Amino acid sequence: MSNRHAHVPQKFEKVKRSLSFHPRTGENMTTPGPNATRSFTQRLTKHFGLGGPTEFVAVPSLLAILVALNILNLLHYRFDADEPQHLHVIWSWTQGLVQYRDVFDNHMPLFHILLSPIAALIGERANLLHWMRFVLLPAHFVAAWATYRIGTQLFSRRVGVWSVILAGFFANYHRAALEFRPDNLWAPLWLLCLTVLLSENFTTRKAWVGGLLLGLCFGLTMKSTLLLISLLVSVAVLLLVARREVTLTTKDLLRRALVFLAATTIVPLVIVIFFRMQGTWNDFFECVFRHQFFGPLFHRNQIVSIVFAFLFLPLIIYGARQVLRAALDVQVGLRRALVLLFVCFYFLILRSFWPLIARTDYLPWYPTVFVLLTGSLFLLKGIGQNIIGQRFPLVSFVAVLELAVLCGIQPFWKDDTRGERKMFSDILSLTNSDDYVFDCKGETVFRRRCFRPILETITMKQIRRGLIPNDAPRRCMDTRTCVVATGMLDRVSPETREFLDRNYVPVTKDLSVAGIRLQANGGGASQHVFKVVIPAEYKIVARDKNVSGTVDGAAYQGARFLDAGPHAFTSDSGGGELVLLWARAVDRNFTPFWGGSAPVR
């Protein structure tokens, strides 16, 4: 072999070694060895500022548990009464109906309009609400990411990660954040807006983006008014407390503020133009504004809250000053003070001035609170840094405690949605697309409601004061409504409840249909005189025998249309319990004897 070719194998070995092995350690680099894995772990630990290998294991483990719990509870956590209500409005859009004009709703429309194409694509099915919860799940992860970013902007990546974990396991936030409602799109958008407002070098462009995000919040709910007022008050107080620390000139501040406010108006303005073009502006204004801000809804406790708000104001300002002074970096101190002020003012304004307070009003508030709490834990030397052998941060014990409480309150293995799924399935089986139903808040989802108002706190108070007509019985008769959802009948007036009990018969735990339990009267045990108020086809059924006789003098041979008014049935089959029942319910195997044996027709 010539000298020229003798060097080829040697060169090949060098190339092979350079491609496959580390030049100093000789470790195989195609398949990472223990040192390579350790190096990757160390880089991630350093990137997130974690305390060591134990915390590096704890963080992803808790995050994995949190994701698993989110998915399990999406499937098993009971449906709140508002979830079917929102889905009913979305379904109405898929049927060509117009919100506010054809369907009463007191929420802003963006949520329903955006999700109606997805609901139409999935179609009418008993588990549609589960599907829509999953559709909204990415927004939950957006909220988690924004929480992480806020924690990073105010403190560190470590605080950001642990803020996500602590907020995620907090029972009040965890359960509300999984429901299908506009609030769970509203909160992530606000948190994104806050990340923009807290970013370094707050430019006019960022003011524009932040305003658009807040405008989207207004498109989802008028509760965004609380966010805007709290933000403006917080900025004003911060400028009073720390004007010398703010690097922007007054002119620049005003320019950015005007750009932010102008961008905020874009989405609401588009919504107003849309409904004006639809010719439904009056309906929109009536439902969203006049109905929503019903004066007598305010309560005495709000006066106490207003007094406490003014009493706590000096303490809030003092806290903002202390936070600003404690920060090593002035800009970071300003951001921390702004978030602290927002958290305090949002809570006080909500408790003092908002007419109707719900647990979901706190959805954009909890993550910011947990960022401040988590950052405070890590800033407390000797307590929040590391304990028990310098291995476990205090926040890990808080997270485990929250997890235990959450599982105790909401066992993830228990399915609390079966009842609603069965009711949805029964509605789809029992009714046709053109049927009306009577329900309180749209909980039947897939059918038009005969009674326009939504029976919730605001509406019930207005009905009691005579501001909304209590004409539910009349509407049932006019629309020939043959199905009633019975799950929330404690909300109806005594007169309406008496009408429903008299003219509808339960066929499942949650549904009643038009019918009457016949009582012997008139000419003897076989004579039954009764009055029909819902014109429809009816059959007469018994628990354990065939039914025969005459209806209004004609032989009874099955389903017969009965007009509103008095009727008589003479039985040829002896005594026993007889029920006049909507014929379609009988044909589709729904029975008034659902607690016992099947009926005989």
Side-chain angles (χ1 to χ4, degrees), residues 474-491:
R474 172 56 55 189
R475 292 297 303 154
C476 287
M477 292 185 284
D478 291 345
T479 57
R480 300 189 177 186
T481 295
C482 290
V483 180
V484 172
T486 58
M488 299 186 199
L489 289 187
D490 57 323
R491 297 169 181 253

Side-chain angles (χ1 to χ4, degrees), residues 305-318 344-345 348:
S305 299
I306 293 171
V307 172
F308 270 104
F310 282 103
L311 290 177
F312 276 104
L313 186 59
L315 184 61
I316 294 170
I317 295 174
Y318 174 78
C344 295
F345 285 126
L348 292 176

Side-chain angles (χ1 to χ4, degrees), residues 369-383:
V369 169
F370 275 99
V371 167
L372 295 176
L373 291 177
T374 307
S376 300
L377 287 176
F378 281 114
L379 290 176
L380 292 174
K381 295 182 179 180
I383 298 178

Side-chain angles (χ1 to χ4, degrees), residues 144-266:
W145 179 86
T147 302
Y148 165 76
R149 284 293 305 149
I150 294 170
T152 302
Q153 290 168 320
L154 298 187
F155 298 98
S156 65
R157 293 189 182 98
R158 188 187 191 192
V159 171
V161 168
W162 280 108
S163 299
V164 172
I165 294 172
L166 294 186
F169 282 129
F170 184 61
N172 288 353
Y173 178 74
H174 178 92
R175 294 183 297 165
L178 297 177
E179 295 174 356
F180 180 72
R181 54 171 70 246
D183 307 81
N184 284 320
L185 198 53
W186 171 58
L189 285 171
W190 165 250
L191 293 173
L192 287 176
C193 175
L194 198 55
T195 62
V196 174
L197 298 178
L198 295 175
S199 60
E200 296 181 2
N201 189 21
F202 183 63
T203 61
T204 303
R205 181 180 179 182
K206 290 181 179 179
W208 181 261
V209 173
L212 284 176
L213 289 169
L214 184 56
L216 289 171
C217 291
F218 272 99
L220 295 167
T221 172
M222 285 306 298
K223 289 183 289 190
S224 303
T225 308
L226 295 170
L227 299 176
L228 179 58
I229 294 174
S230 302
L231 178 64
L232 293 177
V233 173
S234 300
V235 171
V237 172
L238 183 63
L239 290 176
L240 290 174
V241 171
R243 183 63 188 94
R244 287 179 295 181
E245 285 81 359
V246 178
T247 57
L248 292 174
T249 65
T250 303
K251 183 179 180 180
D252 289 335
L253 281 172
L254 287 175
R255 182 186 300 114
R256 286 160 176 75
L258 290 175
V259 169
F260 177 81
L261 293 174
T264 300
T265 64
I266 293 176

Side-chain angles (χ1 to χ4, degrees), residues 347-416:
F347 180 81
L348 292 176
I349 293 172
L350 171 66
R351 300 296 303 183
S352 302
F353 298 104
W354 199 247
L356 186 64
I357 301 172
R359 56 191 176 84
T360 52
D361 297 343
Y362 298 97
L363 279 170
W365 183 77
Y366 283 129
T368 51
V369 169
F370 275 99
V371 167
L372 295 176
L373 291 177
T374 307
S376 300
L377 287 176
F378 281 114
L379 290 176
L380 292 174
K381 295 182 179 180
I383 298 178
Q385 291 291 342
N386 287 309
I387 61 175
I388 306 182
Q390 300 289 316
R391 289 180 179 272
F392 296 96
L394 178 60
V395 287
S396 62
F397 291 95
V398 177
V400 172
L401 178 62
E402 285 184 321
L403 174 59
V405 172
L406 177 60
C407 290
I409 295 175
Q410 176 58 38
F412 61 85
W413 56 88
K414 182 182 178 183
D415 187 357
D416 290 330

Side-chain angles (χ1 to χ4, degrees), residues 15 22 27 31 95 193 254 334 336 340 359 374 527 530:
V15 172
H22 194 281
E27 290 182 358
T31 304
Q95 304 302 301
C193 175
L254 287 175
L334 287 171
R336 291 176 183 173
L340 175 64
R359 56 191 176 84
T374 307
Q527 186 73 24
F530 55 91

